């Protein structure tokens, strides 16, 4: 390997850290190993690692080695990156776990304004024709249910699911699966959810959401 200056080694190490090469152990190879790998002197590697360490990315432990210093923000960023490319089947499985519980909470935790907003979103979806208008109304309908659950963590999880569902892979599948008949079915399923919410019937709301998601899941996965 040709000799590299310290800045080249620094750039390479940063790229490898960013790519998660040592994310499992959080421990970087020692200076001797990296110097041999890059074909440079140990002090060149040491200089590169000191500059990276100055940014707070690394910490040195005497007698143990050099470790990645992960901030909470970096951990969240890493988690968010994993959302890219998540399969529709996995996404629907998670939706079937959390959305029925969210709507059950909404049945008991929401106020009248929440329920009126959900009902209004449903009415707009009924009036929407074509894929894009219905998709926007459908997204609002589900988002309002999570807001009405009064659970910040559930709302945050829903936001993550929306990131997945807004990716082009997902939008393509939804476009292919969309038909006027299925739109009508979804609206009827939404109506059952709204009725249960207005009656403050958590069990019925949860069951209605399960029925709806089962219908959506079948249609989406058959359209892949």
């Amino acid at each position: 390997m040709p000799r590299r200056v310290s800045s080249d080694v620094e750039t390479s190490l940063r790229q490898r850290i960013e790519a998660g090469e040592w994310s499992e152990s959080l421990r970087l190879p020692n200076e001797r190993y990296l110097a041999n790998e890059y074909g440079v002197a140990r002090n060149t590697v040491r200089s590169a690692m000191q500059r990276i360490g100055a940014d707070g990315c690394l910490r040195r432990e005497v007698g143990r080695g050099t470790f990645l210093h992960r901030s909470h923000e970096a951990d969240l960023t890493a988690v968010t990156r994993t959302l890219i490319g998540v399969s529709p089947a996995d996404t629907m499985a998670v939706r079937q776990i959390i959305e029925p519980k969210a709507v059950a909470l909404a049945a008991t935790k929401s106020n009248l304004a929440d329920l009126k907003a959900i009902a209004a979103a449903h009415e707009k979806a009924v009036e929407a024709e074509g894929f894009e208008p219905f998709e926007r109304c459908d997204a609002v309908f589900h988002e309002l249910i999570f807001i009405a659950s009064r659970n910040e963590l559930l709302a945050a999880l829903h936001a993550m699911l929306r990131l997945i569902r807004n990716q082009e892979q997902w939008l393509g599948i939804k476009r292919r699966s969309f038909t006027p008949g299925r739109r009508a079915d979804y609206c009827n399923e939404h109506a059952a959810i709204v009725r249960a919410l207005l009656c403050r019937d958590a069990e019925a709301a949860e069951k209605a959401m399960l029925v709806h998601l089962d219908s959506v899941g079948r249609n989406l996965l058959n359209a892949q």
Side-chain angles (χ1 to χ4, degrees):
M1 180 181 293
R3 295 186 62 82
R4 302 186 182 192
V5 298
S6 180
S7 61
D8 294 330
V9 175
E10 177 189 354
T11 299
S12 175
L13 288 173
R14 287 185 184 277
Q15 290 172 343
R16 293 168 71 179
I17 290 170
E18 181 69 19
E21 182 169 340
W22 299 294
S23 59
E24 290 291 331
S25 66
L26 299 181
R27 183 174 183 174
L28 273 68
N30 60 38
E31 290 178 0
R32 184 186 300 276
Y33 180 92
L34 290 173
N36 288 335
E37 183 178 12
Y38 284 107
V40 298
R42 289 178 61 181
N43 63 347
T44 302
V45 171
R46 186 178 304 117
S47 177
M49 294 178 73
Q50 285 174 344
R51 285 196 297 274
I52 297 173
D55 294 339
C57 298
L58 302 176
R59 72 176 192 277
R60 296 181 68 89
E61 296 186 11
V62 178
R64 295 193 63 208
T66 302
F67 295 83
L68 293 178
H69 186 268
R70 301 299 298 272
S71 65
H72 294 304
E73 291 78 8
D75 289 338
L76 286 173
T77 299
V79 170
T80 303
R81 283 200 197 94
T82 66
L83 299 180
I84 300 174
V86 172
S87 74
D90 285 350
T91 304
M92 286 307 305
V94 172
R95 290 188 67 188
Q96 288 172 326
I97 292 170
I98 67 172
E99 290 200 43
K101 299 303 179 185
V103 78
L105 281 175
T108 58
K109 301 288 187 181
S110 61
N111 57 36
L112 184 58
D114 293 326
L115 298 182
K116 286 183 177 179
I118 293 169
H122 163 59
E123 292 302 325
K124 287 184 179 179
V126 171
E127 296 170 0
E129 295 184 1
F131 170 74
E132 281 79 10
F134 179 76
E135 176 65 19
R136 288 193 295 270
C137 293
D138 178 70
V140 171
F141 177 79
H142 286 271
E143 181 179 17
L144 289 172
I145 288 173
F146 277 87
I147 293 172
S149 74
R150 293 291 185 269
N151 186 298
E152 292 183 0
L153 180 57
L154 277 175
L157 290 173
H158 174 67
M160 294 175 71
L161 287 171
R162 283 195 67 178
L163 287 175
I164 298 172
R165 295 171 61 199
N166 287 335
Q167 293 179 50
E168 189 54 43
Q169 175 195 19
W170 257 97
L171 292 174
I173 294 172
K174 286 191 282 189
R175 284 192 189 92
R176 290 194 296 273
S177 72
F178 182 85
T179 67
R182 286 174 176 170
R183 184 192 70 83
D185 289 341
Y186 295 158
C187 288
N188 289 334
E189 291 157 9
H190 284 178
I193 294 169
V194 171
R195 287 194 297 271
L197 286 171
L198 292 175
C199 291
R200 300 290 187 178
D201 189 333
E203 183 177 356
E206 183 172 347
K207 288 181 179 178
M209 182 62 79
L210 280 169
V211 169
H212 174 53
L213 294 176
D214 184 60
S215 173
V216 172
R218 281 197 313 273
N219 293 333
L220 287 177
L221 297 181
N222 288 336
Q224 290 188 82

